[in-house]
Amino acid sequence: MAIVIDMPKLSDTMEEGVIAKWNVKEGDDVQSGDIIAEVETDKATMEVEVFDSGKILKIFVKEGDAVPLGGKMAIVGEEGEDISDMLGDEKAEEQPAEKEDKPAEKETEGSAETAPEPQAPEPAPPAEKATGTEHLKASPLAKKMAREQGIELSGVTGSGPHGRIVKKDIEEYEAPAARQPAIAKRPEKDEDVPVSQMRKVIAKRLAESKFGSPHFYETIDIDMKKAVEARTSINAGGEVKISFNDFVVKACAMALRMHPKVNSSWMGDSMRRHAAIHVAVAVAVEEGLLTPVIRDTDLKGFAQVSAETKELAGKAREKKLQPEEWEGSTFTVSNLGMYGIEEFTAIINPPNACILAVGAIRDVPVIENGNIVAGKRMKVTLSSDHRIVDGATSAQFLNTVRNLLENPVNMLV
């Protein structure tokens, strides 16, 4: 009996999915458990498996097409099985197109309808034909980026498993001619860029957060001299390299334990004080921002926080995060210090009560014991939902974070 494969719900906020890649074509045999497609959701690229063995009798959508939740993707059944009653509008839409093509058949004998073989090379994108990318191991996103940027994948070294070319490899690729400084060429005309599923959801959620939650902001300047010394000492003898962001994440987790009001969510007619502390770390990806979660952050040491952050950030950039890795945060840290940004405000990541925006560590002159000496300072800004957190509570939380970062030895006990 033929079965329709519908678009499944692959994330909690998903409304539609984009077919990133088909692993099968019409006429292929499949077994239960086979991965038939890769689908781009608002959070990651997920795999879709088939639960019934049979033959792919119909594929409704092409790679790159968006399919709403519950929308038809394909039909699996027995060879020769009548599926006309399952095609629905698809069959009705095909008939007028065939009638319109008939006059063309009389005019040109070499049309696609009468002679499909000569047309076979046409669907292959120019970049694919020139480089033979179909024989290279590359993620669908990497192939798409390479086509858009005119990059030959044969010249790119893959850093993924088994030499697979991933998004990062395309981003970091430099053609020989591109190494020389050049003035960017001005586009000839405006370009309308399609909005990805991820960007749609980011826009919706942040607009709801910004205009639905009354934000207020508090900034504090932190002396990072001892943190810089501690990091240098830790990294000199450890296998895991600790970043300054790891210090901030750990400090926030410990401060949340002391200020449970900040570790809360607005539930409409109540406020939920979370028992566990799960800190999300904002990661920049091509389509926007993802926030993978380090669970029970307050119970983990620097090495574990660092290792998990690196692993989750890598998955986020390759769109391999699973739902359990991005859901359930109680607080978020967003760091733009690596871009040289000294101070900024961030929009709260719902349903969190607060988000901490972290700036760059600055070399500045400071006064110590009446003398001007070289100092290292870092500004952080806490965005708070005023329905949950008051100004004094936010200030107390920030002071605790500052005290921990200015005395990092207290985070080691």
Side-chain angles (χ1 to χ4, degrees):
M1 178 180 176
I3 301 293
V4 176
I5 301 174
D6 297 330
M7 175 62 69
K9 186 168 185 178
L10 300 172
S11 81
D12 55 331
T13 55
M14 177 181 172
E15 295 181 356
E16 62 181 11
V18 175
I19 305 298
K21 179 184 177 183
W22 278 111
N23 295 329
V24 296
K25 59 182 181 298
E26 290 185 6
D28 284 357
D29 293 317
V30 293
Q31 301 295 321
S32 176
D34 285 353
I35 304 299
I36 63 167
E38 295 178 11
V39 172
E40 178 187 342
T41 72
D42 55 307
K43 298 288 182 64
T45 299
M46 311 286 283
E47 295 178 335
V48 175
E49 65 177 283
V50 65
F51 298 102
D52 299 276
S53 301
K55 189 177 290 290
I56 301 293
L57 302 178
K58 177 68 178 178
I59 291 180
F60 289 97
V61 288
K62 299 178 295 183
E63 290 183 0
D65 286 351
V67 184
L69 285 180
K72 295 179 181 178
M73 293 177 59
I75 295 178
V76 175
E78 298 178 2
E79 186 173 5
E81 189 173 355
D82 182 11
I83 59 171
S84 57
D85 59 333
M86 306 175 75
L87 297 178
D89 295 338
E90 178 79 12
K91 184 178 179 183
E93 291 172 3
E94 288 178 356
Q95 290 176 347
E98 290 176 2
K99 291 179 182 179
E100 291 173 7
D101 288 343
K102 285 184 179 179
E105 288 180 26
K106 295 178 181 178
E107 294 174 12
T108 308
E109 292 182 358
S111 67
E113 293 293 332
T114 58
E117 288 80 4
Q119 295 293 96
E122 191 63 28
E128 297 276 331
K129 288 192 286 185
T131 63
T133 56
E134 64 274 8
H135 301 299
L136 293 171
K137 294 180 179 179
S139 70
L141 181 57
K143 288 184 178 181
K144 178 176 179 290
M145 292 172 63
R147 286 197 299 269
E148 293 173 348
Q149 299 176 35
I151 296 174
E152 293 190 9
L153 288 180
S154 57
V156 180
T157 302
S159 63
H162 308 293
R164 182 180 176 88
I165 299 171
V166 296
K167 173 176 174 283
K168 178 171 72 76
D169 302 322
I170 302 299
E171 290 177 335
E172 297 178 355
Y173 175 78
E174 290 186 50
R179 296 180 184 274
Q180 299 299 323
I183 299 176
K185 184 179 178 181
R186 180 177 177 177
E188 295 180 0
K189 59 181 180 179
D190 295 344
E191 179 186 7
D192 291 332
V193 180
V195 180
S196 69
Q197 297 304 110
M198 184 183 299
R199 175 56 68 181
K200 288 179 183 178
V201 173
I202 289 173
K204 180 180 178 182
R205 284 170 59 85
L206 292 185
E208 290 174 350
S209 175
K210 180 65 175 177
F211 301 113
S213 305
H215 285 51
F216 73 95
Y217 312 95
E218 294 179 347
T219 301
I220 199 166
D221 203 27
I222 301 174
D223 182 354
M224 292 293 288
K225 187 174 181 179
K226 289 184 179 179
V228 170
E229 294 171 351
R231 176 176 178 265
T232 301
S233 177
I234 293 172
N235 287 348
E239 295 182 1
V240 178
K241 301 303 180 184
I242 308 301
S243 70
F244 288 115
N245 198 63
D246 299 329
F247 275 73
V248 174
V249 169
K250 179 62 178 176
C252 287
M254 296 182 69
L256 288 168
R257 193 190 301 168
M258 291 180 264
H259 303 278
K261 289 182 180 179
V262 179
N263 196 50
S264 303
S265 297
W266 182 257
M267 306 304 294
D269 55 359
S270 65
M271 291 184 291
R272 177 169 297 168
R273 299 271 174 83
H274 299 288
I277 294 172
H278 305 317
V279 178
V281 179
V283 177
V285 296
E286 183 185 20
E287 295 85 356
L289 205 66
L290 290 175
T291 51
V293 181
I294 303 168
R295 302 195 178 279
D296 299 312
T297 323
D298 57 321
L299 304 179
K300 295 174 179 175
F302 283 124
Q304 194 170 358
V305 168
S306 179
E308 288 190 24
T309 300
K310 289 183 176 67
E311 180 184 3
L312 291 170
K315 285 186 176 182
R317 294 187 183 100
E318 294 185 13
K319 302 190 73 175
K320 296 298 183 183
L321 284 176
Q322 297 302 306
E324 63 273 13
E325 294 173 323
W326 72 64
E327 297 173 350
S329 67
T330 62
F331 186 86
T332 303
V333 171
S334 180
N335 191 336
L336 290 178
M338 67 286 293
Y339 297 105
I341 303 301
E342 294 185 0
E343 182 181 357
F344 70 103
T345 58
I347 299 175
I348 297 168
N349 178 31
N352 298 174
C354 300
I355 182 171
L356 189 73
V358 183
I361 296 177
R362 304 158 357 254
D363 290 315
V364 296
V366 297
I367 298 176
E368 289 184 3
N369 300 321
N371 299 316
I372 299 177
V373 298
K376 291 187 176 294
R377 298 281 178 164
M378 181 180 73
K379 287 185 178 181
V380 299
T381 300
L382 187 69
S383 304
S384 302
D385 184 341
H386 220 322
R387 298 174 300 178
I388 310 172
V389 179
D390 295 325
T393 302
S394 295
Q396 291 164 5
F397 173 82
L398 280 175
N399 275 290
T400 299
V401 170
R402 180 175 64 181
N403 289 335
L404 288 167
L405 288 172
E406 291 184 349
N407 300 280
V409 67
N410 293 334
M411 291 190 282
L412 299 174
V413 296

